[in-house]
């Protein structure tokens, strides 16, 4: 049982994973000890196991069983991907066209509230099990800049649909203490010029998340 005393970051929640303000090369629990991450690298399609039902939620994916299996093993970290849509990936074999949280899998439309509610349930279960979650917005080799037109405008602003996507996910899940935001699973695989857009995404996450979760 961890003990939490005075808060290291008053803006963050007690017990939330944060960047150590005194030693920013480390992570720690707000008001508590340092946090060392130890966990599984897969399954990266955790959110998308099972058949997609009429309301967008997943059926028969056994996500709850996976969480229960990890709980109590000593592992304290898990990672998920919010988008693993093969239509926007430059490497074959990454996901399927329905591996996204949008209504009817249409990324130009609205995010599906039923899907986000199901994700909320899994994230809550992981938090209760003591699992930190590395929440990746994008998969490696994702290219929404070219394939979806999510390009920076002349003033360097994010595309409105990408801004909506990021802001909605952050606002929906930032109340969890166990989250580390991650821009892309392996952003170093992209050309340096394409990383400029991801830096803007990082700025937006920081502006939206008033709890100061770490950003990877």
């Amino acid at each position: 049982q961890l003990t939490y005393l005075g808060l290291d970051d008053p803006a963050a929640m007690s017990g939330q994973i944060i960047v150590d303000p005194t030693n920013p090369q480390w992570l720690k629990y707000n008001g508590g000890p340092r946090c060392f991450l130890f966990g599984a690298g897969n399954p990266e399609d955790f959110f998308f196991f099972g058949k997609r039902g009429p309301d967008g939620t997943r059926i028969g994916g056994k996500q709850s069983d996976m969480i229960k299996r990890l709980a109590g093993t000593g592992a304290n970290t898990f990672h998920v991907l919010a988008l693993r849509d093969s239509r926007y990936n430059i490497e074959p074999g990454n996901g399927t066209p329905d591996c996204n949280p949008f209504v009817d899998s249409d990324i130009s439309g609205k995010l599906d509230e039923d899907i986000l509610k199901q994700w909320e349930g899994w994230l809550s279960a992981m938090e209760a099990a003591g699992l930190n979650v590395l929440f990746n917005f994008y998969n490696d080799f994702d290219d929404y800049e070219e394939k979806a037109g999510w390009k920076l405008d002349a003033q360097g602003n994010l595309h409105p649909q990408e801004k909506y996507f990021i802001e909605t996910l952050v606002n929906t899940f930032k109340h969890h203490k166990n989250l580390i935001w991650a821009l892309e699973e392996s952003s170093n695989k992209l050309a340096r010029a394409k990383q400029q857009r991801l830096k803007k995404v990082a700025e937006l996450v920081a502006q939206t998340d008033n709890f100061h979760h770490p950003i990877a």
Side-chain angles (χ1 to χ4, degrees):
Q1 185 69 29
L2 300 178
T3 300
Y4 300 104
L5 303 173
L7 299 182
D8 304 280
D9 182 351
M13 295 169 279
S14 177
Q16 176 192 313
I17 190 168
I18 60 169
V19 174
D20 186 337
T22 306
N23 299 284
Q25 71 271 33
W26 299 104
L27 298 173
K28 74 185 308 288
Y29 296 107
N30 195 22
R34 282 186 179 158
C35 173
F36 296 89
L37 302 180
F38 178 79
N42 272 317
E44 62 182 32
D45 44 0
F46 173 84
F47 277 155
F48 309 111
F49 278 121
K51 181 181 178 181
R52 183 166 175 147
D55 64 354
T57 60
R58 296 285 163 167
I59 303 167
K62 298 185 178 181
Q63 283 88 342
S64 295
D65 291 342
M66 296 177 200
I67 296 169
K68 291 175 183 177
R69 182 178 178 184
L70 277 173
T73 63
N76 71 350
T77 309
F78 198 73
H79 93 299
V80 296
L81 302 177
L83 286 178
R84 200 165 186 265
D85 192 321
S86 58
R87 295 171 295 180
Y88 305 99
N89 196 280
I90 59 177
E91 186 178 70
N94 275 284
T96 58
D98 66 356
C99 287
N100 69 61
F102 288 88
V103 174
D104 296 328
S105 304
D106 179 4
I107 70 161
S108 67
K110 294 294 184 182
L111 287 161
D112 192 314
E113 293 185 8
D114 291 315
I115 294 175
L116 298 186
K117 185 177 180 180
Q118 187 174 48
W119 290 10
E120 168 66 24
W122 292 330
L123 292 173
S124 294
M126 284 188 267
E127 184 173 9
L131 296 172
N132 298 301
V133 177
L134 193 66
F135 191 105
N136 295 275
F137 296 104
Y138 302 108
N139 191 14
D140 58 355
F141 289 113
D142 271 356
D143 194 351
Y144 287 84
E145 188 171 337
E146 297 298 330
K147 293 199 169 192
W150 290 3
K151 298 182 179 182
L152 299 178
D153 65 17
Q155 289 73 43
N157 300 311
L158 290 169
H159 187 280
Q161 184 68 1
E162 182 165 33
K163 186 172 185 289
Y164 158 71
F165 169 66
I166 297 296
E167 284 182 333
T168 303
L169 290 183
V170 173
N171 280 323
T172 301
F173 300 125
K174 67 183 180 181
H175 66 94
H176 289 289
K177 298 180 180 182
N178 60 330
L179 290 184
I180 300 171
W181 305 116
L183 308 183
E184 185 161 302
E185 185 192 8
S186 304
S187 59
N188 63 319
K189 294 179 180 179
L190 296 177
R192 188 169 295 273
K194 293 184 181 297
Q195 294 176 18
Q196 299 306 310
R197 188 187 110 255
L198 292 178
K199 290 180 180 179
K200 291 291 184 178
V201 171
E203 291 176 7
L204 179 60
V205 173
Q207 292 165 9
T208 308
D209 182 4
N210 53 296
F211 295 119
H212 299 173
H213 291 83
I215 303 173

